[in-house]
Structures are given as structure tokens and as C-alpha cells.
Amino acid sequence: QVQLQESGPGLVKPSETLSLTCTVSGYSISSGYYWGWIRQPPGKGLEWIGNIHHSGTTYYNPSLKSRVSISVDTSKNQFSLKLSSVTAADTAVFYCARQYSSGWYVNYWGQGTLVTVSS
Amino acid sequence: QSVLTQPPSASGTPGQRVTSSCSGSSSNIGTNTVSWYQQLPGTAPKLLIYSNNQRPSGVPDRFSGSKSGTSASLAISGLQSEDEADYYCAAWDDSLNGLVFGGGTKLTVL
């Protein structure tokens, strides 16, 4: 059974960098698929942030590309998100996810973690 | 403003058939396949439909998807109270080179 679990600080100060890690169990990241991040501001819809393949290939949302970095650590079966220069508008539930490249649908989601940007 | 357009709300009574639309453009729905997600209150989204009309294992056949041109549709037949949720469509956008979502449709079971 594939499981994804987000971890990281729940509170980040404005202008700082948000950092989250997703730990995958039940499947080896090195075996394939793309591994990504999706966020959902409180009471709003879903926004795709970006994803990464174990080979290092990445895709980013153009609206966030200048502030986003996604990396993978196959030895720990984890992948991570860094979002720099955060503002209150970045407050959201962040989900890590597994995407299938044929169709790019998300077939596994983490439970989500709320990150609040506030001083 | 979402790249894919969904009606903000929909409703139906138990047993009824309801549909929800998702409108896009030639760079997303017109070229690539559509997926649908169900998000129950307070939970992570769940894959409902992929590749326009395919159901993952475990999803009841009451849920079906279709696509025509630059639009897609989700249908739920035999509506049940537990279907009350937010529903999102998504597709890859070749111009943006990224996954785009609709704004979501909140389904109320009356």
C-alpha cells in the first residue's frame, strides 16, 4: 500500500523559506512516477506546485517557478519542497502526491499539512 | 482565476443523476486527458476518474466521466448522501507545461 506523509514546520515567517518533506512508504521513488506538491489555501481550490522524477527532471507551475525548488532523496525515499520569500498568500494545506506521467493524474495523495505564514 | 472552468455549485436529491462540467481550451482538455477528484470535507482529494473515463479500483460505477473537444463532464448516478463533496477536474496544459485544476464544484445532496 503506497503511503505519503508530509512533514515540516506549521508556521513560517513572512519573507522566509517554507520547507516540507514527503516520506514515501510502500513504493520506491526510484521505480518511477513523478512526485509532486499541490496546495490548497483555506476555503479555496487546488493549485499544482510542481513535481520531480527520480532522474531529476522537474516541472514547475510557471506562476511559482521563481520561488520553488523540488528535490528528491532516493536513499531516504523522500522528496522535498522549498518555497522562498513567502507571504500570507502562501498560507495553505500542502499535499504531496504521486503523479502518473501518462495523463499526469494524481493517484496517491498525502493527508496534507497546514502551513501558516505569519509573524 | 482557474485555467479550467467549473460551476461553483451543484445539487441533487438522493437517487438522482447529476452532472458537472469542466471547460478548458485546446492546450489542456483539447489535447490531453482529464482526471476528476473528490474531496470530502476535511480530507485529502481522492482520484475518481482518470484518462477521461477510467475508474480506479474501488470507485463505484455510479461515477462516470466523458470528454468532448475542450470540455469534460462528470456524472454521478444514484446520488447518495455520502457523495456530498467538492469535485475538481484537472488536465495537463501544454502551454503552461503544468497540471491545471478547475476551481471545483461543491455538490450538495438535498
Side-chain angles (χ1 to χ4, degrees):
Chain A
Q1 175 74 349
V2 180
Q3 292 187 315
L4 293 82
Q5 179 67 57
E6 306 88 352
S7 60
L11 181 64
V12 181
K13 290 182 168 55
S15 80
E16 294 189 344
T17 296
L18 179 160
S19 296
L20 295 174
T21 296
C22 182
T23 300
V24 180
S25 58
Y27 190 86
S28 171
I29 286 179
S30 299
S31 295
Y33 289 98
Y34 278 75
W35 304 89
W37 294 91
I38 293 162
R39 69 179 182 177
Q40 184 172 36
K44 297 189 178 180
L46 302 167
E47 180 181 35
W48 178 79
I49 298 171
N51 62 28
I52 189 168
H53 187 263
H54 69 83
S55 63
T57 300
T58 55
Y59 293 96
Y60 294 130
N61 185 325
S63 68
L64 298 170
K65 190 171 185 176
S66 63
R67 298 195 291 132
V68 171
S69 175
I70 298 176
S71 59
V72 64
D73 186 340
T74 54
S75 67
K76 295 181 179 179
N77 219 35
Q78 295 176 332
F79 61 102
S80 299
L81 167 71
K82 290 189 185 303
L83 180 65
S84 64
S85 304
V86 297
T87 69
D90 293 309
T91 294
V93 174
F94 286 76
Y95 296 100
C96 59
R98 188 180 88 170
Q99 279 186 268
Y100 187 46
S101 58
S102 178
W104 295 105
Y105 56 88
V106 177
N107 53 8
Y108 284 97
W109 298 74
Q111 66 182 29
T113 187
L114 174 64
V115 179
T116 301
V117 179
S118 174
S119 55
Chain B
Q1 194 77 352
S2 301
V3 175
L4 304 181
T5 301
Q6 296 182 253
S9 63
S11 63
T13 56
Q16 199 173 18
R17 181 179 186 270
V18 297
T19 61
S20 184
S21 63
C22 176
S23 179
S25 67
S26 58
S27 63
N28 41 66
I29 294 178
T31 306
N32 299 304
T33 59
V34 178
S35 53
W36 290 88
Y37 304 88
Q38 177 192 57
Q39 187 175 33
L40 298 171
T43 68
K46 166 191 165 186
L47 179 65
L48 209 57
I49 297 287
Y50 66 96
S51 298
N52 303 327
N53 55 18
Q54 302 298 301
R55 283 186 310 277
S57 172
V59 173
D61 60 6
R62 303 187 296 106
F63 295 90
S64 62
S66 63
K67 185 184 104 167
S68 178
T70 59
S71 293
S73 185
L74 172 71
I76 308 173
S77 60
L79 195 62
Q80 299 179 3
S81 58
E82 55 260 40
D83 297 332
E84 190 160 283
D86 294 324
Y87 293 85
Y88 295 91
C89 60
W92 190 261
D93 190 294
D94 288 343
S95 294
L96 298 173
N97 217 21
L99 186 68
V100 292
F101 284 96
T105 295
K106 184 176 185 62
L107 174 63
T108 300
V109 181
L110 302 170

